[in-house]
Amino acid sequence: MTYRTTVSSTTWVFQDLKELLAKATPTRSGDLLAGIAAGSAEEMAAARICLADVPLSAFLTELLVPYEQDEITRLIVDTHDQAAFSPISHLCVGDFRHWLLSDQATTDRLVRLAPGLTPEMVAAVSKLMRNQDLIKVGCKVRVTTGFRNTIGESGILATRLQPNHPTDDPRGILASTLEGLSYGCGDAVIGITPASDSPAAVADVIRLMDELINRFEIPTQSCVLTHATTSIKLIENNVPVDLVFQSVAGTQAANAAFGISLSTLREAHEAGLSLGRGTVGRNVMYFETGQGSCLSADAHHGLDQQTCEARAYAACRPFAPLLVNTVVGFIGPEYLYDGKQIIRAGLEDHFCGKLMGLPMGCDICYTNHAEADQDDMDVLLTLLGTAGINFIIAVPGADDIMLNYQSTSFHDQLYIRDLLKVKRAPEFARWLEDMEIADHDGRLRPLRGDHPLKQGLPRLTT
């Protein structure tokens, strides 16, 4: 279907919904690289004016990636909840924006609405929103999940403690982990990206984390971010896997480049559930996404990268994950060029994921060759904290020595907690108090010389 609008005597024509969405997207380097971005500010404005008048129901009939060619499209269509969609089915994209910003869009209504929203709908409305709109709506939505603790409740901000090491040395991993715990980090997950793909090496790190969690009775979960198929094999061999990890994208072809399909994810989900290792919940999956992954795999079908990213959330949704996070600036400046684009993308991703009912976090990060710095990350951290993000990343010194990129530090989470008065996962907060790491209000306490965390490293590595 062709879309057209006239602005100041100029008629703009967009050949289909795919082109209209791309032209309406705020500028980012990935869409420019793909040759699908608006050619001028005037064309972008015209596309947004035109998009505002598109009925939401159009996204159910004009499919952006053919049903026959793409299993993500089939998942979106086949699982769409018409009853949940019904209260807003009469709205166009612009009216949907107004409704989301109104007092009618309460937390309870947004939760009920989520199964009726397709990723294309939420991507479309996000393109009409300013940053403050994305924050205002994002903070209305709460998505609560649980495994050994409870994440996502109102007023709660969790952290992934990320103690990566360039050689997977257990002493290095443990040193960073114990330091992170002493700063009150790790309630979302202790998550290690391994340097080695060897199943044996991955199993060693998993067992190390399992021993640490059991020894100190920490109400948290660990995850080694290996491929889902590796996790399945490890589970079959009785390795104590807590969470099953996988990077996912928004098209079947991009996921194939990751070596996965929806059937792979179903098998991984069932394997994770089979161990029954959760205590307060059964959310066993951890997914990571990021704008640009479909384009980098030449698997975007002409879609803009933000719409592709929203489709990745559709792939996550059936598996009731504990955690989903966009690694927002990790892919590089070819896709998000500078701090402005990274900040915008992080707010979009959080907004779209939350509207679709996902427990969204963010790796607030950038690569060293991007036009960004830690001040930009401070801005995004503050904005996402205000928007009610479920969790952020905590890396020693904000510098990942294995992946060689910049993220947020142990100290950064202290800043946002103090600023916004957000607390840790309740079970983890009680553990910190019992361990005399933090007081009842969550403030850190100096560790005495004989504190168990200070004694834990030599015992666990000998």
Side-chain angles (χ1 to χ4, degrees):
M1 178 177 175
T2 300
Y3 297 85
R4 64 180 64 236
T5 189
T6 300
V7 181
S8 301
S9 302
T10 300
T11 299
W12 299 88
V13 179
F14 306 96
Q15 295 304 314
D16 52 25
L17 196 50
K18 184 186 301 186
E19 181 184 6
L20 181 61
L21 288 168
K23 302 292 189 184
T25 304
T27 302
R28 60 209 58 197
S29 51
D31 293 338
L32 291 167
L33 179 67
I36 60 174
S40 65
E42 291 80 5
E43 185 178 23
M44 186 185 299
R48 291 177 181 173
I49 291 169
C50 194
L51 180 60
D53 291 332
V54 174
L56 289 176
S57 57
F59 294 98
L60 299 174
T61 55
E62 187 176 343
L63 304 181
L64 305 185
V65 183
Y67 184 93
E68 299 78 12
Q69 297 178 15
D70 188 88
E71 66 175 358
I72 306 301
T73 298
R74 294 195 290 275
L75 174 70
I76 293 166
V77 172
D78 295 347
T79 62
H80 180 253
D81 188 330
Q82 186 63 41
F85 178 58
S86 178
I88 62 162
S89 60
H90 61 290
L91 298 179
C92 62
V93 177
D95 290 334
F96 184 38
R97 173 185 176 273
H98 295 322
W99 183 83
L100 286 170
L101 291 168
S102 75
D103 292 337
Q104 296 179 52
T106 62
T107 297
D108 289 343
R109 285 179 176 173
L110 290 173
V111 169
R112 291 195 299 269
L113 178 63
L117 294 176
T118 70
E120 292 85 359
M121 292 175 191
V122 298
V125 75
S126 75
K127 298 175 193 297
L128 304 185
M129 291 182 140
R130 292 170 56 185
N131 286 359
Q132 65 174 254
D133 300 337
L134 299 173
I135 294 166
K136 180 179 179 180
V137 177
C139 74
K140 294 183 183 184
V141 187
R142 304 310 310 179
V143 182
T144 304
T145 56
F147 190 73
R148 292 201 190 98
N149 56 32
T150 308
I151 301 168
E153 293 177 329
S154 181
I156 300 298
L157 174 66
T159 55
R160 169 189 163 184
L161 173 49
Q162 184 169 302
N164 293 345
H165 192 276
T167 64
D168 292 336
D169 181 85
R171 290 182 64 85
I173 292 171
L174 277 170
S176 293
T177 302
L178 294 170
E179 181 187 21
L181 291 170
S182 75
Y183 278 92
C185 299
D187 46 349
V189 65
I190 302 173
I192 300 107
T193 305
S196 171
D197 291 330
S198 161
V202 170
D204 286 344
V205 178
I206 291 173
R207 292 189 180 100
L208 181 68
M209 290 296 102
D210 184 58
E211 183 181 355
L212 175 71
I213 289 172
N214 286 334
R215 174 162 301 187
F216 292 114
E217 299 180 329
I218 310 171
T220 191
Q221 39 282 328
S222 71
C223 183
V224 177
L225 280 64
T226 189
H227 196 272
T229 55
T230 301
S231 293
I232 292 168
K233 293 175 182 176
L234 294 174
I235 290 170
E236 290 172 348
N237 289 308
N238 296 315
V239 176
V241 174
D242 284 345
L243 304 184
V244 178
F245 170 81
Q246 185 55 53
S247 295
V248 295
T251 68
Q252 179 178 335
N255 282 324
F258 284 146
I260 61 162
S261 64
L262 291 177
S263 63
T264 308
L265 298 181
R266 282 191 288 270
E267 184 181 359
H269 184 229
E270 291 169 2
L273 288 173
S274 72
L275 294 182
R277 292 177 59 80
T279 55
V280 303
R282 288 168 51 84
N283 302 115
V284 299
M285 301 298 289
Y286 176 17
F287 293 119
E288 284 191 344
T289 67
Q291 290 192 28
S293 57
C294 290
L295 177 58
S296 69
D298 194 22
H300 61 106
H301 294 271
L303 283 175
D304 66 272
Q305 64 185 39
Q306 191 255 334
T307 300
C308 284
E309 172 72 3
R311 284 171 56 93
Y313 304 148
C316 300
R317 192 159 51 174
F319 304 104
L322 180 76
L323 308 166
V324 178
N325 75 267
T326 167
V327 193
V328 64
F330 182 75
I331 301 182
E334 299 85 357
Y335 306 96
L336 296 170
Y337 179 73
D338 57 14
K340 181 179 177 66
Q341 293 185 15
I342 292 170
I343 289 166
R344 173 70 190 191
L347 295 175
E348 290 170 346
D349 294 351
H350 176 259
F351 165 87
C352 290
K354 280 286 187 67
L355 270 190
M356 292 179 65
L358 291 177
M360 287 302 296
C362 184
D363 191 345
I364 301 163
C365 64
Y366 64 101
T367 56
N368 288 316
H369 62 310
E371 291 295 322
D373 58 27
Q374 213 64 36
D375 286 339
D376 296 311
M377 301 306 102
D378 288 347
V379 171
L380 182 53
L381 170 62
T382 305
L383 296 178
L384 285 173
T386 305
I389 197 160
N390 278 32
F391 72 102
I392 59 172
I393 312 300
V395 178
D399 182 6
D400 192 299
I401 59 173
M402 196 280 282
L403 293 172
N404 292 308
Y405 78 114
Q406 310 303 309
S407 185
T408 43
S409 71
F410 300 159
H411 298 81
D412 292 332
Q413 58 92 24
L414 296 176
Y415 148 74
I416 201 69
R417 292 191 191 288
D418 186 59
L419 180 71
L420 300 179
K421 309 307 177 189
V422 287
K423 300 182 181 298
R424 301 173 179 90
E427 300 88 349
F428 190 80
R430 287 193 292 271
W431 176 80
L432 290 174
E433 187 178 355
D434 291 343
M435 290 286 289
E436 299 181 347
I437 296 171
D439 62 21
H440 181 69
D441 293 324
R443 291 186 293 265
L444 296 183
R445 301 177 59 179
L447 297 188
R448 63 180 190 271
D450 62 346
H451 193 278
L453 286 188
K454 291 188 175 183
Q455 306 302 317
L457 183 60
R459 290 203 305 268
L460 283 164
T461 56
T462 54

